[in-house]
């Protein structure tokens, strides 16, 4: 049992504050009002993946929007086409936003890859209230991968 329940609240708040800072500093979340970012950050978790660990499989149903925080992720479309996602990248945003299966398989490439995990329901709720956000993200790349580096950010 937890002998310090008040500490858990402090730790949770610190984690959400870190998530909010990361979202605020990511140009792909830049068009969202702070209120929407706070809602996203409140449900965001951080996950670690080992090198070569699969994050999601192509054809699978999206359960979350992944944002690369640290390390790198390889997105493979068909074992022939692949691209590397660096920190700040949203993984397969279009599939998450549109409720479609993942277009690519994502696999951690760095020894210690850390991702922000935003539940799909929260992402879709934000898209419903902020429709211009999807247009911004799709415009920034339009493919399985949205990367701030591609848009000069």
């Amino acid at each position: 049992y937890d002998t310090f329940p008040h500490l858990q609240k402090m730790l949770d708040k610190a984690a959400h504050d870190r998530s909010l800072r990361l979202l605020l500093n990511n140009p792909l979340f830049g068009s969202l009002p702070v209120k929407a970012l706070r809602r996203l950050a409140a449900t965001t978790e951080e996950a670690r993946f080992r090198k070569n660990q699969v994050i999601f499989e192509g054809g699978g149903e999206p359960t979350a929007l992944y944002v690369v925080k640290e390390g790198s992720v390889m997105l493979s479309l068909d074992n022939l086409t692949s691209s590397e996602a660096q920190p700040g990248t949203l993984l397969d945003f279009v599939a998450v936003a549109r409720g479609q299966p993942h277009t690519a398989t994502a696999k951690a490439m760095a020894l210690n890859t850390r991702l922000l995990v935003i539940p799909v329901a929260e992402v879709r709720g934000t898209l419903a209230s902020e429709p211009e956000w999807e247009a911004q993200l799709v415009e920034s790349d339009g493919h399985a991968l949205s990367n701030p580096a591609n848009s000069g950010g």
Side-chain angles (χ1 to χ4, degrees):
Y1 66 96
D2 190 356
T3 53
F4 301 102
H6 60 288
L7 286 180
Q8 190 58 51
K9 284 182 185 154
M10 289 169 58
L11 293 170
D12 290 347
K13 184 186 179 328
H16 296 317
D17 288 351
R18 275 195 310 275
S19 295
L20 180 60
R21 255 193 324 278
L22 286 162
L23 296 178
L24 281 168
N25 291 328
N26 187 319
L28 295 171
F29 291 89
S31 69
L32 288 175
V34 174
K35 190 173 148 190
L37 285 169
R38 283 188 203 286
R39 277 196 314 270
L40 285 175
T43 61
T44 298
E45 301 288 329
E46 193 176 297
R48 290 175 188 261
F49 292 86
R50 299 180 313 279
K51 187 174 181 169
N52 295 322
Q53 184 177 357
V54 172
I55 298 159
F56 56 78
E57 294 274 355
E61 283 303 311
T63 58
L65 175 62
Y66 295 95
V67 183
V68 181
K69 179 182 174 188
E70 205 175 279
S72 68
V73 173
M74 186 62 69
L75 285 161
S76 311
L77 289 172
D78 47 23
N79 293 333
L80 301 170
T81 314
S82 62
S83 60
E84 194 171 344
Q86 299 296 330
T89 304
L90 308 186
L91 303 180
D92 211 357
F93 168 77
V94 173
V96 173
R98 300 197 175 144
Q100 299 167 340
H102 283 296
T103 54
T105 295
K107 187 188 287 189
M109 295 307 293
L111 233 39
N112 190 18
T113 297
R114 290 165 50 185
L115 305 178
L116 294 180
V117 182
I118 308 170
V120 98
E122 199 59 45
V123 173
R124 290 187 188 143
T126 301
L127 287 167
S129 62
E130 307 292 335
E132 65 282 357
W133 183 44
E134 181 175 5
Q136 176 205 347
L137 291 174
V138 170
E139 187 181 292
S140 74
D141 187 285
H143 299 296
L145 177 72
S146 299
N147 189 333
N150 296 345
S151 55

